[in-house]
Amino acid sequence: MSRAHVVLPSPVGELTVVAEDGAITHLLMDAAKYRPDDPEVLGDAGDPSDEPFAAAAVQLAAYFTGALTEFDLPLAPRGDVFHQKVWALLREIPYGQTRSYGDLARALGDRNLAQAVGTANGCNPIAVVVPCHRVIGADGSLVGYAGGLGRKRFLLALEEPPAADSGRLF
């Protein structure tokens, strides 16, 4: 088991990409609410030219310029079965669209799971790439984001479709 990390600059602050055995396990914002700084989670300092760090750097840079709408990176987030199901649903939310916690709960087969979906969403270890920022309140409001609502607002504005194509995301 080989775990390492690199720190990449971004418009939302530094992003720490952690990989183990060639797959990304974490993408952490510098001021995230649940940011683990444990050396066991982060591993050693990695080489930014190694994979998957190089691909992550290129794809994140393209995403932040609006040139990339779908990531293609090897991901290995750690979580229980329910968390994995929620994170898989997050990856299905298209760029420029949002879903409510209730929408995701219904997709899991039980609208009463909205709060559990919110908890799993908040524990997403791979920010931006697994787009937990695309989940909003049932009334369309911006609620809960471990990276802070300012960052959530920035990411949603970045992805917002042109006004001629559709309505505003928020």
Side-chain angles (χ1 to χ4, degrees):
M1 174 171 44
S2 171
R3 184 176 301 163
H5 73 277
V6 299
V7 178
L8 303 174
S10 87
V12 293
E14 290 184 338
L15 300 173
T16 301
V17 181
V18 181
E20 185 175 315
D21 299 327
I24 296 170
T25 60
H26 294 79
L27 194 152
L28 307 165
M29 293 187 175
D30 61 353
K33 187 174 181 180
Y34 302 110
R35 180 186 165 84
D37 286 321
D38 183 341
E40 280 192 36
V41 171
L42 299 178
D44 298 325
D47 183 337
S49 65
D50 287 347
E51 292 301 337
F53 301 126
V58 167
Q59 290 185 37
L60 285 164
Y63 168 80
F64 284 115
T65 64
L68 181 86
T69 61
E70 191 171 322
F71 290 95
D72 182 20
L73 296 167
L75 304 179
R78 304 290 193 265
D80 63 31
V81 172
F82 182 77
H83 284 80
Q84 294 290 344
K85 286 179 182 180
V86 172
W87 300 336
L89 284 175
L90 295 177
R91 290 191 297 270
E92 293 175 9
I93 303 171
Y95 181 93
Q97 295 184 27
T98 58
R99 300 289 185 272
S100 72
Y101 297 99
D103 292 336
L104 297 176
R106 282 187 292 283
L108 290 169
D110 184 349
R111 64 182 178 90
N112 296 316
L113 291 174
Q115 188 171 2
V117 165
T119 299
N121 192 60
C123 295
N124 170 25
I126 305 178
V128 182
V129 174
V130 176
C132 55
H133 60 276
R134 295 179 187 155
V135 182
I136 59 173
D139 63 357
S141 63
L142 297 186
V143 294
Y145 189 61
L149 289 181
R151 284 188 176 102
K152 183 172 189 162
R153 191 172 289 109
F154 176 90
L155 294 169
L156 290 174
L158 174 72
E159 296 182 7
E160 187 167 20
D165 291 344
S166 68
R168 295 184 57 88
L169 288 176
F170 60 95

